[in-house]
């Protein structure tokens, strides 16, 4: 036995024909035992964790069930107690139930420790609520069974989280239901047992884990002490690996002692040096080696890649001494046959060049989502590094984003090299390849075709024999046609030609061409899909944006919409006529580009259309829109995880209502840039509107600001793409906007033109929506208003006053219908409303009749039976008027009806 460098023992090697000794058998080492201890410890931890998780789950489920039961019982008890409390029936029949019941309901809510106690009428309208602004609105929940005398309980997800609410009927002395009482509280309000028991459970689990760890550590320590950290199996495995590596490595290894004696030589060293079978133990100089090689091995000096010729071989020798770190005297030499390396060096250079070409293709092909540009990048990369000429022919449908159409001619989309001189088909030429050509065969079979000698390729010449003769005459002698495949689609064909290089394409070149085109085909197909999606998104967006603005007299309008450089965004705007000659202006922005952003924009625009029909103030409309976006995110959250859909990642909106009668403008915004106001004297002001959160975040209220712009002022609404981009921040953009507005002409069209002309010359990376509205006022001579006492006799006076005013306006044809409409509306206000009652008539594009009172109860249209004495008033109003409806005000409600002006 000899010592290897570092002190490890090694036996003399065997000769090439000597049999190897079997590995030393032994008992199992301690390593599996240590692994077993670790496995037992891991099993302890897993079992303990499972028990803890099961206990926690059981505790949470039990606490949740108890919480829901207690919440349901408390809600029913509180609602029932309040519904049966003395005086509630009289309060419901009082002229103002809210004044009587609100203090009592709040006192009951605080005393019973519930989240709300709400009293409703039989139509579901709230008389009480912890938040006073919710009084007079429709109750959210199920109450129809309570009208039949039953108690209703349900669990819903409200703004406070999961909650349980109950609805109990309020019965009069004759048993009829005259009202409803609802009480509720969140399930977290009554929970808490799990929080008291969870620390004890976790503490017990931690103690058990510590004991398991300590026991496993003791067992492992005892095993290590008994085996000294190394077992027989490990020693046998190390020996087997040493022996296998030493005799299997393709480098010769020699160990020479300090006296120049060969101590060890592996099989490869025997082969390279031609050593005899009994070489170990003999002096190196006595082995018949070349003198230079023998001197190097005997000297023990340091050598690095010294080349020595041994017979027909060129050996690269590396040698290092073994006594550098206290080892035994001697040296270790390694021998490597460099003959094969030199033969392979030429092929390695070729392979490296091909790998570089493929790498450059991955980086340089597909830099844009444009089909033509990607084809040009492919052709330009191949010439002159791989071919002398390259052409790319694609189906026409691919260029427009569609799937390729089999049997149709191909369009020469990209060319690299001097094609004009070679007589090849030029760029832009439509080519129908005949079946015998390599291009047609490649498209038909889906495999690349190699033609090493074009002079003998009769199938290629059949395309155009005269042109083929000129191509061969130019010197083109070889080609490879590769189909552009994307899955099962054949997008086109790429042809590589050689002329200047004398060597033809070979099978290795064919494989390289296939790999190169396969990588480019992915980029071309991606560009095709993007083109298709972009076209769909543009079509969708154009169909969703307003094509024309509605006719109205309150504002003079102009707008601009500029798409981004790439992709379709979600910027949008709208103009919505409202009741009372008012007009709503909307500008919104959905974050992102593409089909999803355009579709989301359409959903939000439709929602704003629907919400505006309710005649809500801007802040309340944004609150509803925010709640809608939140629900959309919840519904699409699971689908987005599967890749089927995507939630609304961000959306902003600004909503403004302009009233030409009062010349007031109410504005609210949800994460949107503030509007700009250009006064008639040219002064520009960025309106300070409270900035609400973007849509979908929830939790924070929206605030509205009220402006009173002078007649002729211009209100400028826009999206953030107008004032900010990657090169400038929002403050710089607002300053540029101020300057452009100050220099703009007085009309909205001139304002739009000046604002967009003042933008930086570089195209924006985001969409831009711009809406400019110049205010107009409805003159006092077009408005008539009268107070109405709560006396049925006053209806005749109102009819007479309206008749006189219509005669002054020259609207005698509308006198009869207007008298009938106002008679019904005023009578309803006197019977079912409360003072003060006012009548207002507006003469705009239509004749608008409005009746206002101080109640929030909205009338509804019904069809009276043949035996009913009343109930036909609103039906008549709906038949005579072009539109009618109700809008709520802070002081009550307004019922309006519009008639077309002849």
């Amino acid at each position: 036995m000899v010592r290897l460098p570092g002190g490890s023992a090694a036996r003399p090697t065997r000769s090439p024909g000597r049999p190897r000794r079997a590995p030393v058998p032994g008992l199992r080492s301690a390593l599996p035992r240590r692994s077993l201890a670790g496995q037992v410890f891991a099993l302890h931890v897993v079992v303990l964790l499972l028990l803890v998780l099961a206990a926690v789950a059981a505790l949470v489920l039990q606490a949740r069930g108890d919480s829901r039961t207690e919440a349901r019982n408390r809600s029913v008890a509180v609602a029932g107690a309040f519904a049966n409390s003395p005086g509630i029936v009289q309060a419901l029949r009082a002229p103002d139930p809210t004044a009587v019941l609100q203090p009592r309901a709040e006192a009951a809510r605080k005393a019973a420790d519930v989240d709300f106690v709400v009293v409703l009428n039989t139509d579901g309208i709230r008389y009480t609520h912890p938040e006073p602004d919710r009084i007079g609105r429709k109750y959210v929940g199920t109450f129809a069974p309570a009208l039949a005398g039953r108690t209703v309980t349900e669990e819903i997800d409200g703004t406070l989280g999961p909650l349980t609410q109950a609805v109990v009927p309020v019965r009069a002395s004759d048993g009829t239901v005259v009202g409803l009482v609802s009480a509720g509280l969140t399930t977290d309000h009554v929970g808490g047992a799990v929080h008291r028991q969870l620390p004890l459970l976790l503490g017990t689990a931690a103690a058990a884990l510590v004991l398991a760890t300590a026991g496993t550590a003791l067992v492992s320590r005892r095993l290590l002490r008994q085996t000294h950290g190394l077992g027989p199996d490990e020693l046998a495995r190390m020996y087997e690996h040493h022996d296998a590596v030493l005799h299997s490595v393709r480098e010769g290894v020699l160990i020479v002692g300090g006296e120049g004696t060969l101590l060890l030589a592996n099989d490869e060293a025997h082969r390279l040096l031609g050593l005899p079978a009994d070489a170990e133990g003999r002096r190196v100089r006595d082995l018949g080696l070349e003198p230079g090689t023998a001197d190097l091995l005997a000297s023990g000096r340091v050598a690095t890649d010294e080349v020595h010729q041994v017979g027909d071989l060129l050996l690269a020798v590396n040698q290092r001494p073994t006594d550098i770190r206290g080892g035994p005297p001697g040296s270790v030499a390694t021998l490597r046959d460099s003959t094969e390396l030199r033969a392979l060096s030429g092929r390695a250079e070729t392979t490296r060049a091909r790998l570089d070409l493929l790498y450059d293709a991955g980086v340089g092909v597909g830099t844009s989502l444009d089909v033509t540009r990607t084809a040009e990048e492919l052709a330009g990369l191949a010439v002159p590094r791989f071919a002398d000429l390259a052409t790319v022919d694609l189906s026409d449908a691919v260029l427009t984003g569609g799937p390729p159409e089999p049997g149709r001619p191909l369009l020469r989309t990209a060319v690299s090299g001097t094609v004009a001189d070679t007589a090849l088909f030029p760029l832009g030429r439509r080519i129908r390849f005949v079946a015998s050509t390599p291009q047609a065969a490649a498209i038909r079979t889906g495999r690349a075709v190699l033609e090493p000698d074009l002079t003998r390729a009769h199938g290629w010449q059949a395309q155009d024999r005269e042109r083929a003769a000129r191509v061969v005459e130019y010197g083109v002698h070889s080609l490879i046609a590769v189909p552009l495949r994307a899955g099962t689609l054949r997008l086109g064909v790429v042809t590589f030609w050689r002329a200047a290089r004398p060597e033809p394409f070979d099978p290795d070149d064919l494989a390289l061409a296939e790999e190169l085109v396969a990588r480019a085909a992915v980029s071309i197909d991606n560009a095709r899909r993007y083109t298709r999606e972009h076209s769909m998104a543009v079509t969708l967006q154009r169909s969703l944006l307003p094509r024309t603005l509605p006719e109205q007299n309150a504002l003079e309008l102009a707008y601009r919409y500029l798409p981004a450089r790439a992709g379709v965004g979600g910027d949008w705007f709208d103009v919505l006529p409202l009741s009372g000659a008012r007009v709503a202006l909307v500008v919104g922005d959905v974050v992102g580009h593409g089909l999803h952003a355009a579709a989301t924009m359409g959903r939000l625009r439709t929602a704003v259309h629907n919400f505006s029909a309710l005649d809500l103030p801007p802040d309340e409309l944004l609150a509803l829109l925010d709640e809608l976006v939140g629900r959309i995110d919840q519904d699409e959250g699971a689908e987005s995880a599967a890749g089927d859909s995507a939630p609304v990642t961000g959306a902003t909106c600004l909503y403004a209502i302009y009233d030409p009668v009062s010349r007031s403008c109410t504005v609210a915004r949800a994460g949107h840039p503030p509007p700009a106001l250009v006064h008639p004297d040219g002064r520009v002001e960025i309106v300070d509107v409270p900035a609400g959160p973007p849509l979908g975040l929830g939790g924070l209220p929206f605030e509205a600001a009220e402006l009173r712009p002078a007649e002729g002022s211009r209100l400028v609404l826009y999206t953030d793409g107008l004032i900010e981009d990657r090169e400038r921040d929002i403050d710089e953009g607002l300053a540029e906007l101020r300057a452009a507005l100050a220099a703009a002409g007085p009309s909205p069209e001139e304002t739009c033109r000046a604002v967009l002309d003042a933008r930086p010359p570089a195209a924006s990376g985001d969409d831009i929506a711009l809406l400019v509205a110049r205010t107009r006022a409805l003159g006092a001579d077009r408005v008539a208003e009268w107070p109405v006492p709560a006396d049925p006799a006053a209806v005749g006076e109102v009819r007479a006053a309206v008749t006189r005013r219509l005669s002054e306006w020259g609207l005698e044809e509308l006198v009869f219908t207007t008298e009938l409409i106002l008679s019904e509306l005023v009578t309803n206000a006197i019977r079912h409303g409360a003072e003060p009652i006012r009548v207002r008539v507006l003469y705009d594009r239509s004749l608008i009749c409005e009746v206002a009172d101080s109640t929030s109860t909205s009338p509804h249209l019904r069809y009276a039976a043949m035996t009913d004495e009343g109930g036909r008033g609103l039906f008549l109003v709906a038949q005579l008027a072009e539109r009618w409806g109700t809008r709520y005000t802070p002081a009550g409600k307004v019922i309006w009806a519009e008639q077309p002006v002849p």
Side-chain angles (χ1 to χ4, degrees):
M1 299 288 290
V2 298
R3 304 292 295 180
L4 292 176
S8 61
R11 66 174 178 82
T13 184
R14 62 176 175 84
S15 63
R18 187 185 307 168
R20 297 185 182 180
R21 293 189 298 176
V24 178
L27 300 176
R28 288 187 175 275
S29 67
L31 184 60
R33 297 181 185 178
R34 294 202 300 272
S35 300
L36 179 61
Q39 294 173 4
V40 171
F41 173 68
L43 181 61
H44 287 170
V45 173
V46 171
V47 172
L48 182 61
L49 290 177
L50 290 176
L51 291 175
V52 171
L53 291 176
V56 170
L59 181 60
V60 170
L61 291 176
Q62 180 181 359
R64 183 178 299 173
D66 294 343
S67 299
R68 291 179 176 174
T69 302
E70 182 178 353
R72 189 180 302 110
N73 293 339
R74 287 177 59 184
S75 299
V76 173
V78 173
F82 195 86
N84 296 312
S85 62
I88 189 170
V89 176
Q90 291 77 6
L92 286 171
R93 292 175 174 173
D96 189 358
T98 299
V100 179
L101 294 175
Q102 177 70 1
R104 293 174 59 184
E106 286 300 290
R109 178 181 67 83
K110 296 177 181 177
D113 193 19
V114 295
D115 290 314
F116 64 86
V117 175
V118 177
V119 181
L120 322 170
N121 64 6
T122 55
D123 293 329
I125 303 301
R126 301 187 185 103
Y127 285 148
T128 68
H129 197 277
E131 298 181 6
D133 60 342
R134 302 291 180 178
I135 297 174
R137 297 189 181 180
K138 192 77 171 183
Y139 173 74
V140 180
T142 303
F143 62 88
L147 296 176
R150 296 195 300 272
T151 298
V152 181
T153 61
E154 60 180 344
E155 295 180 0
I156 65 172
D157 287 333
T159 56
L160 301 177
L163 59 85
T164 302
Q165 62 184 13
V167 183
V168 176
V170 179
R171 297 179 182 272
S173 58
D174 57 355
T176 60
V177 176
V178 296
L180 306 172
V181 177
S182 175
L185 71 166
T186 61
T187 54
D188 294 339
H189 192 80
V190 295
V194 64
H195 300 293
R196 295 191 297 270
Q197 298 178 15
L198 189 59
L200 177 61
L201 181 63
L202 295 179
T204 304
L209 182 61
V210 170
L211 291 177
T213 304
T216 305
L218 291 176
V219 173
S220 300
R221 184 175 180 182
R222 184 171 181 180
L223 290 175
L224 287 173
R225 185 167 60 249
Q226 290 179 348
T227 60
H228 301 287
L230 200 62
D233 286 350
E234 186 175 0
L235 290 174
R237 189 181 306 111
M238 291 176 60
Y239 173 79
E240 291 173 356
H241 289 172
H242 169 269
D243 192 65
V245 170
L246 185 65
H247 293 284
S248 300
V249 69
R250 290 198 60 188
E251 286 192 356
V253 179
L254 298 98
I255 300 179
V256 181
E259 298 81 11
T261 303
L262 179 62
L263 302 179
L264 183 146
N266 69 346
D267 296 347
E268 187 68 8
H270 276 269
R271 184 185 72 83
L272 295 175
L273 296 177
L275 298 176
D278 58 347
E280 285 86 358
R282 297 172 56 183
R283 296 179 62 84
V284 174
R285 298 184 185 275
D286 299 336
L287 297 177
L289 300 176
E290 294 291 335
T293 305
D295 292 342
L296 173 62
L297 297 177
S299 66
R301 63 180 175 84
V302 176
T304 302
D305 287 338
E306 285 191 14
V307 179
H308 292 259
Q309 185 170 1
V310 179
D312 296 333
L313 303 178
L314 294 175
L315 303 182
V317 182
N318 290 272
Q319 184 167 270
R320 295 292 184 273
T322 58
D323 56 356
I324 296 178
R325 299 182 179 179
S331 61
V332 175
T334 59
L335 312 174
R336 185 175 67 255
D337 186 359
S338 63
T339 307
E340 297 179 4
L341 294 178
R342 295 197 176 188
L344 293 175
S345 60
R347 278 183 276 175
E349 289 296 327
T350 303
T351 303
R352 184 181 301 108
R354 292 179 175 180
L355 290 176
D356 290 342
L357 179 64
L358 292 178
Y359 173 79
D360 293 341
V363 175
V365 177
T367 58
S368 67
L369 291 173
D370 181 79
V371 176
T372 302
R373 177 59 183 165
T374 305
E376 292 172 349
E377 291 171 346
L378 170 61
L381 180 71
V383 177
R385 299 169 63 178
F386 177 68
D388 299 312
L389 303 167
T391 58
V392 181
D393 305 311
L394 298 177
S395 172
D396 283 342
V398 173
L399 298 175
T400 57
E405 301 175 1
R408 302 275 296 180
L410 301 181
L411 178 67
R412 180 138 295 179
T413 309
V415 172
S416 183
T418 55
V419 175
D421 297 338
T422 63
L424 293 177
F425 290 113
L427 184 67
R429 175 73 174 269
R430 280 180 170 78
I431 309 170
R432 184 185 296 275
F433 290 103
V434 299
S436 61
T437 59
Q439 292 86 348
I443 296 175
R444 183 175 61 254
T445 62
R447 294 191 296 269
V449 177
L450 168 63
E451 287 289 354
D453 189 356
L454 292 181
T455 60
R456 300 180 181 179
H458 302 291
W460 168 75
Q461 297 176 4
Q463 177 74 38
D464 187 336
R465 296 191 179 278
E466 181 181 353
R467 185 181 296 271
R470 283 186 289 158
V471 170
V472 173
E473 182 181 354
Y474 178 81
V476 178
H477 56 81
S478 179
L479 74 79
I480 294 178
V482 186
L484 272 163
R485 296 180 300 171
T488 59
L489 299 179
R490 312 288 168 82
L491 307 178
V493 64
V494 181
T495 309
F496 302 102
W497 316 75
R498 277 191 178 172
R501 304 183 190 186
E503 66 275 8
F505 287 116
D506 57 27
D508 291 339
D509 295 325
L510 182 69
L512 175 62
E514 288 181 319
E515 179 67 22
L516 181 63
V517 173
R519 298 191 180 194
V522 174
S523 299
I524 291 177
D525 188 54
N526 289 339
R528 178 188 68 85
R529 293 172 182 269
Y530 171 79
T531 302
R532 179 184 61 184
E533 180 180 345
H534 179 73
S535 300
M536 293 172 60
V538 168
T539 303
L540 175 62
Q541 185 186 46
R542 289 176 178 173
S543 66
L544 293 176
L545 287 173
R547 299 182 181 180
T548 58
L549 297 181
E551 296 181 356
Q552 44 78 39
N553 292 336
L555 298 168
E556 181 185 353
L557 299 167
Y559 67 91
R560 294 289 189 276
Y561 178 80
L562 272 68
R565 285 193 301 263
V568 175
D571 291 14
W572 56 283
F573 65 92
D574 222 329
V575 178
L576 308 172
L578 303 178
S579 62
R582 299 171 304 136
V583 177
L585 303 176
V586 193
V587 174
D589 185 6
V590 176
V591 174
H593 294 84
L595 192 60
H596 178 71
T600 302
M601 175 267 286
R603 297 168 73 176
L604 295 183
R605 180 169 178 253
T606 302
V608 171
H609 268 266
N610 294 332
F611 290 150
S612 66
L614 302 176
D615 256 335
L616 298 174
D619 53 340
E620 295 184 19
L621 185 140
L622 289 181
L624 292 178
L625 199 62
D626 175 70
E627 184 178 355
L628 172 66
V629 173
R631 287 200 302 269
I632 292 175
D633 285 345
Q634 292 177 1
D635 295 341
E636 296 185 349
E639 298 180 5
S640 64
D644 298 333
S645 182
V648 182
T649 56
T652 64
C653 184
L654 186 145
Y655 190 83
I657 297 178
Y658 175 70
D659 188 348
V661 179
S662 62
R663 294 196 301 275
S664 65
C665 182
T666 307
V667 186
R669 60 189 179 114
H672 203 80
L677 182 63
V678 184
H679 296 274
D681 59 1
R683 181 169 51 90
V684 180
E685 174 188 0
I686 302 298
V687 182
D688 185 14
V689 179
L695 297 176
L697 296 183
L700 294 176
F702 297 97
E703 300 181 39
E706 185 169 349
L707 315 176
R708 291 195 175 274
E711 185 177 2
S713 300
R714 282 166 287 161
L715 188 64
V716 182
L717 311 182
Y718 52 89
T719 55
D720 58 356
L722 181 67
I723 59 173
E724 62 177 335
D725 51 37
R726 295 181 179 179
E727 282 74 27
R728 56 176 182 166
D729 57 19
I730 188 171
D731 293 333
E732 183 181 353
L734 286 174
E736 294 176 357
L737 177 61
R738 284 174 178 270
L741 292 175
S747 71
E749 280 292 337
E750 292 174 329
T751 303
C752 288
R753 191 180 307 114
V755 168
L756 296 182
D757 290 345
R759 292 180 60 250
S764 174
D766 194 6
D767 290 13
I768 295 176
L770 175 64
L771 181 62
V772 180
R774 184 164 64 179
T775 61
R776 296 170 178 167
L778 190 62
D781 58 335
R782 293 294 188 99
V783 180
E785 188 172 4
W786 304 275
V788 180
D791 183 3
V795 177
E797 299 176 3
V798 172
R799 285 201 302 265
V802 170
T803 300
R804 291 191 298 269
R805 182 53 63 97
L806 293 183
S807 298
E808 295 175 7
W809 288 341
L811 302 177
E812 290 82 0
E813 296 181 18
L814 300 179
V815 169
F816 176 75
T817 56
T818 304
E819 287 182 347
L820 184 56
I821 290 172
L822 285 178
S823 295
E824 296 298 337
L825 297 183
V826 173
T827 301
N828 281 341
I830 293 174
R831 288 180 179 179
H832 307 291
E835 294 186 301
I837 302 174
R838 300 191 66 83
V839 173
R840 188 173 72 162
V841 181
L842 307 178
Y843 179 21
D844 192 41
R845 299 181 67 87
S846 60
L847 184 65
I848 306 170
C849 300
E850 298 180 345
V851 178
D853 65 78
S854 60
T855 63
S856 57
T857 303
S858 175
H860 60 279
L861 183 65
R862 69 185 182 90
Y863 296 93
M866 295 294 295
T867 57
D868 291 344
E869 295 181 1
R872 300 175 178 83
L874 287 180
F875 179 77
L876 292 175
V877 171
Q879 295 298 315
L880 296 174
E882 184 178 41
R883 293 195 311 155
W884 77 279
T886 304
R887 71 173 181 269
Y888 294 95
T889 64
K893 69 175 182 299
V894 176
I895 304 175
W896 54 270
E898 291 185 6
Q899 303 175 74
V901 175

